[in-house]
Amino acid sequence: MLAHALGRPASWLHAHARDPVPRLARRRFEGLLARRAGGEPLAYLTGRREFWSLDLEVTPAVLVPRPETEHLVEAALELVPSSAGARLADLGTGCGAIALALARERPGCRIIATDLSAAALALAASNAARLGIDNVEFRRGHWCAALGRERPALIVTNPPYVRAGDPHLQGDGVRFEPREALVAGTDGLDAIREVVSCAARHLAPQGRLLLEHGAAQREAVRRLLAEHHFSDIAHIRDYAGRDRVACARLAPA
Ligand code: SAM
Ligand code: GLN
């Protein structure tokens, strides 16, 4: 926050540890400190968050990308060979984190990034432009409806999966984030149910679905995938050892 208030990179502080802080920067810093103490996420205060080594702009219109979601990117890259020219989709892209990471790593692929929120999509598109990423197309719409007649080989998504009333929603940072990015009904599975069912209709035959879910949702997600004729269901753990991403393959046509 001090570096941000000074308009310098954080490394600058180490090289100038004994410099006095100019009055204006000090006032700015104290303002930021007060807002952070009130629970606002650091990323909303600086307007920036790094994800997959990409410097992303974030605003209170989008969820702050989480490091756990990089597991989903990693798993997607394992499924998509670096020479591939496939069509991929990221549903509920927020600031564009997943779509932009995949686009940067797989320049031969075309990625459709969707969201229901126009503000999120505008931010994601501006992140893409600033980073010089031009293989992502942004579309507004309710989950797979935004895909129209496209049949992607891979759908990735980090949908909202927190249950309404979960005390976690009152936690540090989280209470400033958009509800519609976090909350999905009384069991937290409303969005996952919709995504699994529409992905089964919109994926190419034998296409893959990769979705992030909550640590306690593994069995429910597995059941939903099996009910919609997905096979090869696997779960990927986060660094805390909890199953957080499900991967599954759609049956042949
Ligand atoms: N993909 C980003 C990430 O991983 O940081 C943001 C994920 S955030 C948990 C979920 C996103 O889904 C939000 O950007 C929200 O606006 C979007 N969303 C919620 N309901 C949606 C719907 N019905 N159709 C499309 N997107 C939706
Ligand atoms: N991981 C987020 C949290 O802990 C939840 C993200 C989501 O609902 N997709 O708040």
Side-chain angles (χ1 to χ4, degrees), residues 63 65 69 90 92-94 97-98 115-117 141-143 158-160 180-181:
L63 185 95
T69 304
D90 171 23
T93 198
I98 303 169
D115 211 290
L116 199 54
S117 154
H142 184 86
W143 302 128
N158 171 18
E180 57 281 13

Side-chain angles (χ1 to χ4, degrees), residues 143 159-166 169 178-195 217:
W143 302 128
Y161 53 70
V162 180
R163 64 178 175 75
D166 188 320
L169 295 168
R179 292 302 85 171
E180 57 281 13
L182 288 161
V183 179
T186 51
D187 64 356
L189 288 165
D190 280 4
I192 290 182
R193 269 189 285 269
E194 292 199 58
V195 165
Q217 294 172 333

Side-chain angles (χ1 to χ4, degrees), residues 10-43:
S11 55
W12 191 91
L13 295 179
H14 296 284
H16 296 85
R18 295 181 172 279
D19 287 15
V21 177
R23 217 223 293 263
L24 186 63
R26 190 196 167 94
R27 275 228 303 279
R28 239 186 258 140
F29 175 58
E30 284 168 353
L32 291 169
L33 209 54
R35 288 170 62 193
R36 183 68 198 93
E40 281 185 68
L42 179 60

